[in-house]
């Protein structure tokens, strides 16, 4: 089996009023004149965003499957499906930006990213791990970063795309912490047992350590932003200053870690 797979983020071309009614609208994307180096960097960053959002689709599919197999309450299963649709729409929006910037529709993934295989752990353990790592840590930080980026950017269709994604991410950032709190309080005992505070705290600590060790900005982008003209051009197509982005990321992870310790 291949280690990587390229997926075309294309359009069907079908024109149908019902389809159009339910399709997510894409803001008008007026692309300013860009140098080749700025355009290439912007395409790379928006492709990374599209990839991340599409991987999010697969992650929520796994979450929904675990909730179904554990016979979780119907409202939780429905919320998972809502988040899956959100991630699909976000990938669609980001791929539309890539197209507007002149990028290719193909996005390459590592196969395990798309498969999101289950582990040998119990279903309960896998769900708790997802709720802590992916949602109570990852999605909380992601929502904070989206708000940071939107605030840092000038008004444009690219900023509107990120605002639309940030609005959906409110649910994603609330899902993990809220459900975990309910599980810890024993309110979900009919379908899942709480593994104990020590287990949950250890999962928080491990995830935060991993997140703090990540390289979240590309050195190429830092160099681009050292030139004022290139920096303005990058901001005009939805890419904020990388050093401030990294600082916001580190601060957000630290807040999650402090919050977990205070529980």
């Amino acid at each position: 089996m291949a280690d990587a797979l390229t997926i075309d983020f294309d359009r069907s071309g079908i024109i149908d009023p019902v389809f159009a009614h339910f399709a997510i609208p894409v803001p008008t994307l007026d692309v300013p004149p860009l140098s080749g180096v700025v355009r290439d960097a912007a395409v790379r960053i928006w492709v990374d965003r599209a990839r991340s959002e599409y991987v999010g689709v697969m992650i929520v599919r796994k979450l929904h499957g675990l909730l179904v197999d554990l016979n979780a309450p119907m409202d939780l299963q429905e919320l998972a499906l809502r988040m899956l649709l959100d991630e699909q729409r976000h990938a669609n929006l980001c791929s539309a930006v890539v197209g507007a910037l002149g990028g290719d529709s193909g996005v390459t993934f590592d196969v395990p990213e798309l498969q999101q295989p289950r582990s040998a752990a119990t279903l309960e353990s896998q769900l708790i791990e997802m709720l802590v790592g992916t949602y109570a840590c990852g999605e909380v930080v992601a929502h904070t970063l989206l708000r940071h980026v939107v605030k840092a950017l000038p008004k444009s269709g690219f900023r509107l795309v990120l605002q639309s994604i940030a609005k959906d991410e409110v649910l994603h950032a609330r899902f993990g912490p809220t459900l975990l709190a309910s599980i810890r309080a024993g309110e979900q005992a009919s379908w899942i047992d709480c593994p104990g505070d020590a287990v949950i705290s250890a999962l928080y600590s491990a995830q935060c350590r991993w997140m703090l060790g990540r390289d979240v900005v590309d050195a190429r982008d830092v160099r681009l932003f050292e030139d004022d003209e290139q920096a303005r051009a990058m901001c005009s197509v939805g890419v904020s200053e990388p050093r401030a982005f990294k600082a916001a990321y580190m601060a957000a992870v630290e807040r999650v870690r402090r919050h977990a310790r205070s529980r």
Side-chain angles (χ1 to χ4, degrees), residues 21-42:
H21 175 75
F22 286 99
I24 184 170
V26 178
T28 301
L29 299 169
D30 295 321
V31 182
L34 301 172
S35 67
V37 67
V38 168
R39 185 181 299 274
D40 289 348

Side-chain angles (χ1 to χ4, degrees), residues 124-218:
E124 292 87 347
S125 295
Q126 291 182 68
L127 179 63
I128 294 294
E129 186 175 349
M130 284 194 78
L131 291 177
V132 174
T134 302
Y135 291 95
C137 294
E139 291 288 7
V140 169
V141 170
H143 181 237
T144 300
L145 287 176
L146 273 169
R147 289 189 290 129
H148 163 80
V149 171
V150 167
K151 187 176 180 180
L153 293 174
K155 291 182 179 180
S156 70
F158 302 91
R159 184 173 182 256
L160 287 174
V161 166
L162 294 170
Q163 282 180 307
S164 176
I165 294 173
K167 186 181 297 184
D168 293 336
E169 292 289 347
V170 172
L171 168 60
H172 301 217
R174 292 274 293 185
F175 186 83
T178 303
L179 181 52
L180 273 172
S182 185
I183 291 171
R184 294 174 92 167
E187 297 167 354
Q188 305 301 320
S190 64
W191 65 278
I192 189 169
D193 294 324
C194 179
D197 288 343
V199 170
I200 292 175
S201 295
L203 289 171
Y204 266 107
S205 295
Q207 182 67 16
C208 288
R209 281 197 306 272
W210 177 81
M211 293 177 74
L212 289 171
R214 290 183 63 208
D215 291 327
V216 293
V217 299
D218 193 308

